[in-house]
Amino acid sequence: TLFRSNIYCCRSGSAADTQFLAEMVSNYLETQRIESGKEVAVVSGASLFHKLCYINKWGISAGIIVGGYDATNGGSVYCIPSGGCMVKLPYALGGSGSIFLYSYMDSHYKPNMTKDECLALCRSAVAHALSRDGSSGGVVRTMCITADGAEDSTTPWTAIPYTLERDPKYQELVKANLPYSSTRKEGDNVTDSTQ
């Protein structure tokens, strides 16, 4: 979700809660930009989310990742998980599929990666989450935010770098787990139950 040309967020939890928070933060950031006459820092957006999520931690379901670029701090990423704490990290994970990715990211992330290496890592990580988590969606969307602006891309399921269904280690399991039930109904439906 776009806040400013230089700040975006990823939302997880209740869509209604996170959309409302995103709109509220976007309005506050626009007011701050108008009053100061300067572009807003990424930490300002993250801090607003942090305060709103923490104050309302018992009434909302929201996990937020705020990322962006500003002249003062360069590129930065902040994680605001459910409960409202705020942590600045080199990368952040969130949402239902993230449970499958912590070890993967710990072993594959390296400081000072190139843009192409970062995008490849993100696509691979999200593809692995898609394969294990039914709530993670069906495409991989990436957003690269630099001093030059934001560049987004979408990779459809047919082109993502990993799927459980295409992994050779799991081909025998695919055969054993048929896409239909072994107790499925074989005959046609009848229109009258007395027949």
Side-chain angles (χ1 to χ4, degrees), residues 20-41:
F20 176 75
L21 288 171
E23 289 172 5
M24 185 181 271
V25 169
S26 181
N27 288 334
Y28 281 132
L29 293 180
E30 177 63 10
T31 302
Q32 182 180 347
R33 185 195 65 75
I34 290 169
E35 289 178 354
S36 70
K38 299 181 205 169
E39 199 53 64
V40 180

Side-chain angles (χ1 to χ4, degrees), residues 33-108:
R33 185 195 65 75
I34 290 169
E35 289 178 354
S36 70
K38 299 181 205 169
E39 199 53 64
V40 180
V42 178
V43 69
S44 296
S47 294
L48 281 169
F49 264 118
H50 157 63
K51 286 177 175 54
L52 292 169
C53 289
Y54 183 76
I55 289 167
N56 297 294
K57 65 185 166 204
W58 302 115
I60 62 171
S61 172
I64 309 289
I65 297 171
V66 176
Y69 186 92
D70 61 65
T72 305
N73 300 306
S76 53
V77 176
Y78 295 86
C79 183
I80 300 114
S82 289
C85 77
M86 182 178 85
V87 184
K88 183 178 181 182
L89 299 164
Y91 64 86
L93 304 170
S96 59
S98 66
I99 190 88
F100 303 107
L101 297 180
Y102 286 97
S103 295
Y104 183 84
M105 290 298 289
D106 286 344
S107 64
H108 289 82

Side-chain angles (χ1 to χ4, degrees), residues 106-118:
D106 286 344
S107 64
H108 289 82
Y109 171 80
K110 300 179 298 258
N112 303 314
M113 296 171 74
T114 66
K115 173 186 166 184
D116 289 337
E117 289 173 327
C118 288

